[in-house]
């Protein structure tokens, strides 16, 4: 059976759309449709139900995907080969999405050496839902997500853990936690509420004094003395080390959140594959 037919089938299966599969494979939509029909004829059974907005896999498609996905993905890995060579091996630009704070403070510095070797990167900053939708649609190659992606057709791997710490400027102490103004990332206090629930075993109902939709802005305000907040330790490590911030509490089990690296399963060009591997190696260094 043709490798191309199986690869096209898997792209349609994972993306749920002929249009998306065609974009991922750099084929025309009629070519993708023809290849799917050819595979269905060869197998003697339908693989998809054609819907107004996409393709729904049949039981036969589910069975086939389970059988061929791992071998095809492994073959893609072999074809991509060793990408540690000269700059021209990187090829086209890598489109990377992720949270602004981690991307700017950790990801981009870690990619600097690859950029000097010829890597091209285009970065999109945003929230997980919109970034993962762009990844599934083919607009992004890789996404760093603060929540575990559940979309079909994505390859998801743990990247790093971020430890959260309760911090304030030196003028505040742990006795001030209940009265100090709260500086938050969002109006509904998602990070602060989680910390209060896990560490203090209570529901946080206070209204934030200052809301900044960027943790770097939150940190800047707290360094200036605006109040208390909860930040990932990696983001404020330098400020804690030089005394501009202090931890107000050191719980035995601090809240931890796992970040994930998502890519389209089985679909990667050489540069994206190189960045994917590089980020997984670097991720373990970003927690502190």
């Amino acid at each position: 059976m043709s490798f191309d037919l199986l690869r096209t089938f898997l792209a349609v299966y994972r993306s749920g759309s002929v249009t998306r599969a065609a974009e991922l494979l750099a084929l025309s939509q009629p070519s993708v449709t023809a290849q799917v029909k050819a595979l269905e004829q060869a197998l003697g059974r339908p693989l998809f139900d054609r819907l107004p907005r996409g393709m729904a896999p049949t039981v036969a498609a589910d069975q086939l995907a389970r059988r061929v996905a791992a071998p095809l993905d492994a073959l893609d890995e072999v074809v991509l080969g060793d990408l540690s060579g000269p700059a021209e091996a990187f090829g086209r630009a890598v489109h990377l999405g992720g949270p602004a704070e981690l991307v700017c403070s950790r990801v981009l510095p870690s990619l600097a050496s690859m950029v000097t070797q010829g890597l091209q990167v285009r970065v999109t900053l945003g929230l997980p839902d919109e970034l993962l939708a762009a990844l599934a649609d083919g607009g992004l190659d890789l996404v760093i997500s603060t929540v575990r992606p559940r979309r079909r057709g994505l390859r998801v791997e743990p990247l790093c853990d971020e430890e959260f710490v309760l911090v304030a400027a030196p003028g505040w102490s742990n006795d001030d936690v209940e009265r100090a103004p709260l500086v938050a990332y969002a109006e509904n206090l998602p990070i602060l509420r989680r910390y209060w629930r896990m560490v203090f075993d209570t529901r946080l109902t206070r209204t934030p004094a200052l809301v900044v939709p960027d943790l770097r802005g939150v940190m800047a305000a707290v360094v200036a003395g605006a109040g208390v907040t909860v930040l990932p330790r990696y983001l404020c490590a330098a400020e804690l080390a030089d005394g501009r911030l202090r931890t107000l509490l050191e719980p035995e089990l601090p809240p931890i959140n796992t970040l994930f690296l998502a890519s389209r399963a089985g679909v990667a060009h050489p540069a994206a594959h190189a960045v994917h591997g590089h980020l997984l190696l670097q991720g373990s260094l970003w927690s502190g």
Side-chain angles (χ1 to χ4, degrees):
M1 187 173 294
S2 167
F3 167 79
D4 288 337
L5 295 187
L6 291 174
R7 189 166 185 266
T8 298
F9 155 74
L10 200 57
V12 175
Y13 180 86
R14 285 168 163 167
S15 66
S17 163
V18 168
T19 300
R20 293 174 186 169
E23 293 171 350
L24 296 174
L25 298 171
L27 297 173
S28 68
Q29 292 183 40
S31 294
V32 171
T33 300
Q35 290 189 30
V36 170
K37 289 182 178 178
L39 184 58
E40 289 177 323
Q41 291 172 358
L43 295 174
R45 64 189 68 184
L47 295 173
F48 298 99
D49 293 323
R50 277 68 173 173
L51 305 176
R53 297 179 63 84
M55 305 277 275
T58 64
V59 173
D62 291 333
Q63 294 172 343
L64 181 60
R66 284 194 294 268
R67 292 177 60 188
V68 305
L72 289 179
D73 289 346
L75 184 57
D76 273 344
E77 295 283 340
V78 172
V79 171
L80 288 171
D82 182 6
L83 299 171
S84 59
E88 55 267 21
F90 287 122
R92 65 184 178 90
V94 177
H95 292 261
L96 170 70
E101 300 84 2
L102 183 75
V103 169
C104 292
S105 64
R106 290 293 186 265
V107 176
L108 297 183
S110 79
L111 293 177
S113 62
M114 297 179 73
V115 171
T116 64
Q117 297 171 27
L119 176 69
Q120 299 179 52
V121 183
R122 301 295 180 266
V123 175
T124 301
L125 306 175
L127 299 175
D129 285 347
E130 61 193 38
L131 295 176
L132 292 169
L135 175 63
D137 288 340
L140 294 174
D141 298 306
L142 299 167
V143 165
I144 297 171
S145 176
T146 54
V147 298
R148 186 178 186 89
R150 301 294 182 184
R151 289 173 174 265
R152 192 182 71 188
L154 297 184
R155 178 183 181 185
V156 178
E157 296 162 280
L159 177 64
C160 64
D161 290 330
E162 52 182 2
E163 175 192 337
F164 288 100
V165 290
L166 181 65
V167 297
W172 299 98
S173 72
N174 56 356
D175 294 330
D176 299 318
V177 171
E178 292 304 318
R179 69 175 184 86
L182 297 179
V183 183
Y185 175 84
E187 196 70 42
N188 62 347
L189 306 168
I191 299 175
L192 285 155
R193 282 192 297 107
R194 182 175 181 231
Y195 190 94
W196 253 248
R197 183 178 69 251
M198 296 184 67
V199 175
F200 299 122
D201 194 25
T202 187
R203 183 168 177 264
L204 181 61
T205 58
R206 293 160 57 190
T207 300
L210 175 61
V211 175
V212 187
D214 188 311
L215 290 178
R216 293 165 300 178
V218 170
M219 183 171 66
V222 173
V223 167
V228 304
T229 194
V230 174
L231 293 171
R233 187 179 290 275
Y234 76 81
L235 187 63
C236 57
E239 287 74 13
L240 290 172
D242 64 22
R244 284 177 288 165
L245 287 177
R246 59 173 298 188
T247 55
L248 300 182
L249 191 66
E250 292 285 359
E252 185 177 349
L253 294 174
I256 298 290
N257 184 54
T258 299
L259 281 78
F260 298 91
L261 181 61
S263 57
R264 290 186 302 280
V267 180
H269 59 83
H273 182 75
V275 171
H276 176 273
H278 180 78
L279 292 181
L280 288 179
L281 289 174
Q282 293 295 311
S284 61
L285 306 176
W286 296 341
S287 298

